[in-house]
Amino acid sequence: MNRVVHPIEAESYRRMRARLDTSHLPPLTRAVVERVVHSSADLEYARDLVMDEGDLQRGHAALHAGAPVVVDVEMVGAGITRRETVCRLRDGVAGPGLTRSAHGIRLAFEQVGPGALWVIGNAPTALEELLRLDAAPALVIGLPVGFVGAVESKAALRESGLPAVSNVSEKGGSAVASAALNALLYHPVPQSKETL
């Protein structure tokens, strides 16, 4: 992806790196941490985020190979640049024991099947529903926000063993979830020796 970095973004990254040393982090982990911190102006995310470089590498490869990207709300989709997303929240219907967000996740899975990247930035119930499905995701970015269910749903994601980006605290939201996906989208695809 050819992307022109605006001078304001470049200066923002320079100032952030003056306050936060990420040089010790593996490349994709560093990209996600920096993009999330940049999008939130919250340096605490550097200690709050949980991810594995191998999971990020596989998610990055799937993303650049064209795997579908599913989001829980349109705000997350709006923050993801240069990539179409699937959001079925508008079609979701709440029912007994099922939120509209959770139903939207069910509908999205019926549409895309296994192997998608899932970006949950709003509803803990959407993340909980994803964990109930046999979705076989390429990667789950699980960063829902809130005082009810957010911490618990993110802990359940980590305990599930699924490839994931999450965080420990109540913090999260659409902006940081889309930022984590954008970090993978913007990161260059390694060139194989055969294509050099």
Side-chain angles (χ1 to χ4, degrees), residues 47-52 55 127-128 131 140-144 149-171:
R47 288 181 287 281
D48 193 39
L49 288 166
V50 179
M51 67 199 93
D52 174 78
D55 290 345
L127 182 53
E128 291 164 1
L131 294 176
V140 178
I141 296 174
L143 296 170
V151 168
E152 296 82 359
S153 67
K154 291 180 275 193
L157 173 59
R158 290 189 296 279
E159 291 165 11
S160 75
L162 292 174
V165 174
S166 69
N167 69 310
V168 177
S169 73
E170 296 92 350
K171 295 189 295 190

Side-chain angles (χ1 to χ4, degrees), residues 82-122:
R82 299 184 186 185
R83 188 63 189 268
E84 293 296 318
T85 61
V86 173
C87 181
R88 296 296 301 275
L89 179 62
R90 287 179 186 248
D91 303 317
V93 178
L98 184 71
T99 66
R100 186 172 160 229
S101 295
H103 189 227
I105 292 299
R106 280 188 195 177
L107 295 172
F109 179 61
E110 290 172 8
Q111 179 178 337
V112 302
L117 288 91
W118 295 79
V119 189
I120 311 294
N122 187 46

